[in-house]
Amino acid sequence: MTLRFEIRFDPYARRALDTIDKAPRRRILERIAALADDPRPAGVVMLRGRHGDLRLRVGDYRVIYTVDDAILLVLVIDLGHRRDIYT
C-alpha cells in the first residue's frame, strides 16, 4: 500500500485558481492531484529565499506549495501566471 498525501489549498490559492480560465485550470488541477502520489515529481524546484517552498510548472502557470511529510500533507500556497506569481 502506497501512502497518499492530502492536498489542501490556502484560501488565497483557491481564489487565485478561480480566476484562471477553464482549460488551464483543469491542467493545473490534474497536476496538483498527481502530487498526492508523488509530492516531489521530476522538474519541481525548491525556491530560493523561501525555505521549503516548491515550484511546479504547468505550462505558463506556476504552483507554489509546501510538503509536510510527517502528516502527509501538500499545502498549495499560491498559483498563477508566471509573469505574476513571483511579484
Side-chain angles (χ1 to χ4, degrees), residues 38-55:
D38 183 9
R40 295 176 185 90
V44 166
V45 175
M46 186 170 289
L47 294 176
R48 285 185 277 156
R50 293 177 67 167
H51 181 69
D53 290 355
L54 302 169
R55 180 203 70 207

Side-chain angles (χ1 to χ4, degrees), residues 24 27-28 56-62 80-85:
R27 286 192 307 272
I28 291 167
L56 174 67
R57 292 177 56 190
V58 185
D60 286 339
Y61 292 87
R62 305 295 182 261
H81 195 277
R82 64 188 177 122
R83 72 175 168 251
D84 303 323
I85 194 70

Side-chain angles (χ1 to χ4, degrees), residues 3-6 8 39-40 66-75:
L3 300 175
R4 287 184 54 91
F5 284 71
E6 178 183 355
R8 289 190 194 160
R40 295 176 185 90
T66 61
V67 178
D68 188 336
D69 292 303
I71 59 172
L72 300 178
L73 175 69
V74 172
L75 176 62

